[in-house]
Amino acid sequence: MAALRYAGLDDTDSEDELPPGWEQRTTKDGWVYYANHAEEKTQWEHPKTGKRKRIAGDLPYGWEQETDENGQVFFVDHINKRTTYLDPRLAFTVDDNPTKPTSRQRYDGGTTAMEILQGRDFTGKVVVVTGANSGIGFETAKSFALHGAHVILACRNMTRANEAVSQILGEWHKAKVEAMTLDLALLRSVQHFAQAFKAKNVSLHVLVCNAAAFALPWSLTKDGLETTFQVNHLGHFYLVQLLQDVLCRSAPARVVVVSSESHRFTDINDSSGKLDFSRLSPSKSDYWAMLAYNRSKLCNILFSNELHRRLSPRGVTSNAVHPGNMMYSSIHRNWWVYTLLFTLARPFTKSMKLLACYDQWSINSMAVGATNMGIQPS
């Protein structure tokens, strides 16, 4: 059991738990067999269930299979710098003669982004994540990079963005990751980013609109718009419009917009039911930080839905996601009251690794019955 914990495979189903004295092994071509140390024999069938199993998928990124001097296969985890004779894919075996699948839930509230992408190979895929130097954006970018994608961190602060790139490369030196300047509070910067990205002549398979501002004091951007509205919604809206042709050429592709459950607690229509533009970019006298955030998140939802309606026939899908209630991140840093509130709530909140799984699940959902994305394991 200690060896199982070392390989991260100790969380097994009771049905598949081996009797004492038995060990699970794999062949070079991916078949699972069982060794009985007491009787010094091996067999293909599981000693309890009688099922035959084989390995599913490729090794996780950072792992390599090697053979020792005795011809025994072992596995090297270069990211965590460890070696084990247990195949890390043993947690993801499939029956040789599969039976009808159960309705057991695959993912839950404890699932991390890395677990969502387990077994997925994003080699050759290009991913852009806004606000990726910290928080949910960083965990999302890191997870994609460690699974082979070419990831671009689109950030305002290049010092912090480059530090994030270095951190990812520190976990896996072969990761293909870079940082580019993007200031959503300046539409000219959005335009420059789109031009610089297009100059690379690469595809764009996934665009994660993650960056956001929260609890800002009232201010106008250089474009004359209220800052929360422009950073959270309009900047991303403009970015997608500028990259729309690249997304369509790269189809199947996907846009993920990180929204919030707080979109339910506001309205952007006037008393007659028509859109009130003054609510989107309010004057200082009509401004309330929380309401401005809620309205920007409602705009995210509406934008994502309409984008999906327009572009899905061209192979580009769009999803809006809610990352979780009262999560602990640096988004609250603009006002001490919210900092205090989030600090008190921190023991009851999700980690960034858990929150990022919502972005990853949206990307990976095609592997659970929806194949319209086309991003499949190699």
Side-chain angles (χ1 to χ4, degrees):
M1 187 57 104
L4 283 173
R5 281 196 298 271
Y6 181 71
L9 304 176
D10 56 317
D11 187 16
T12 59
D13 295 330
S14 57
E15 182 187 57
D16 291 330
E17 187 175 347
L18 291 170
W22 286 84
E23 180 187 354
Q24 189 173 222
R25 298 176 178 174
T26 56
T27 64
K28 290 184 179 180
D29 53 358
W31 291 99
V32 178
Y33 67 98
Y34 304 90
N36 185 330
H37 295 292
E39 300 180 11
E40 296 184 351
K41 69 175 185 179
T42 60
Q43 64 187 54
W44 294 110
E45 295 79 15
H46 191 285
K48 288 178 66 175
T49 66
K51 296 178 181 179
R52 293 192 178 199
K53 292 181 177 291
R54 55 185 174 82
I55 295 297
D58 298 326
L59 285 169
Y61 263 89
W63 286 81
E64 288 184 347
Q65 178 178 301
E66 298 184 10
T67 305
D68 64 17
E69 58 215 16
N70 299 318
Q72 181 78 25
V73 175
F74 68 98
F75 302 89
V76 180
D77 179 359
H78 293 290
I79 295 176
N80 295 306
K81 297 179 176 57
R82 60 182 181 176
T83 300
T84 176
Y85 282 91
L86 282 172
D87 191 321
R89 297 168 295 177
L90 282 173
F92 303 95
T93 57
V94 296
D95 295 342
D96 185 25
N97 298 307
T99 57
K100 184 177 179 181
T102 66
S103 58
R104 179 182 176 184
Q105 183 178 351
R106 184 172 179 180
Y107 305 127
D108 57 29
T111 304
T112 65
M114 292 296 287
E115 290 170 342
I116 288 285
L117 294 183
Q118 172 65 42
R120 299 282 154 191
D121 184 0
F122 283 83
T123 300
K125 304 300 179 182
V126 180
V127 179
V128 171
V129 183
T130 69
N133 58 273
S134 64
I136 304 173
F138 173 74
E139 292 296 336
T140 300
K142 181 180 74 171
S143 299
F144 277 124
L146 296 184
H147 285 82
H150 174 188
V151 181
I152 296 174
L153 283 63
C155 305
R156 177 179 57 85
N157 188 323
M158 288 304 293
T159 299
R160 296 179 62 187
N162 288 325
E163 290 174 353
V165 168
S166 298
Q167 189 173 342
I168 294 172
L169 291 174
E171 294 201 29
W172 187 40
H173 69 282
K174 294 182 180 180
K176 195 171 183 180
V177 57
E178 61 179 300
M180 293 179 61
T181 303
L182 173 64
D183 185 355
L184 294 167
L186 188 62
L187 296 181
R188 185 172 66 254
S189 174
V190 178
Q191 189 176 43
H192 289 169
F193 173 88
Q195 292 171 346
F197 178 84
K198 290 181 177 181
K200 292 178 176 291
N201 293 317
V202 296
S203 300
L204 178 56
H205 302 99
V206 179
L207 172 58
V208 182
C209 299
N210 163 79
F214 176 76
L216 292 177
W218 182 88
S219 66
L220 295 179
T221 67
K222 291 183 179 180
D223 301 298
L225 297 165
E226 192 277 314
T227 303
T228 301
F229 171 67
Q230 180 165 330
V231 171
N232 292 7
H233 170 64
L234 192 62
H236 283 128
F237 177 91
Y238 189 38
L239 178 64
V240 173
Q241 299 309 304
L242 294 175
L243 296 179
Q244 178 176 311
D245 56 337
V246 184
L247 286 163
C248 292
R249 286 200 308 269
S250 308
R254 175 162 297 189
V255 176
V256 177
V257 183
V258 180
S259 183
S260 170
E261 187 73 10
S262 64
H263 80 276
R264 300 180 184 277
F265 308 115
T266 189
D267 195 359
I268 55 176
N269 293 334
D270 59 22
S271 57
S272 64
K274 295 182 179 180
L275 178 62
D276 186 351
F277 287 98
S278 65
R279 297 189 180 190
L280 301 181
S281 183
S283 63
K284 186 175 183 178
S285 60
D286 296 326
Y287 180 78
W288 181 35
M290 192 67 216
L291 195 57
Y293 178 80
N294 294 352
R295 286 170 176 166
S296 70
K297 295 292 109 177
L298 176 57
C299 289
N300 289 161
I301 298 284
L302 298 174
F303 166 56
S304 178
N305 289 348
E306 180 62 17
L307 182 68
H308 181 82
R309 187 187 70 82
R310 295 189 183 193
L311 295 190
S312 57
R314 301 174 64 182
V316 180
T317 57
S318 180
N319 293 86
V321 297
H322 166 52
N325 289 318
M326 289 300 296
M327 73 287 191
Y328 187 86
S329 73
S330 61
I331 196 171
H332 58 78
R333 61 186 178 273
N334 296 296
W335 192 26
W336 69 269
V337 173
Y338 286 110
T339 299
L340 176 61
L341 177 61
F342 276 69
T343 301
L344 293 174
R346 185 170 188 173
F348 311 100
T349 61
K350 298 178 180 179
S351 70
M352 290 300 106
K353 293 181 180 180
L354 295 178
L355 290 166
C357 80
Y358 289 87
D359 293 350
Q360 306 288 359
W361 182 87
S362 182
I363 299 296
N364 204 37
S365 61
M366 67 284 179
V368 193
T371 57
N372 57 334
M373 258 298 281
I375 302 178
Q376 300 293 337
S378 61

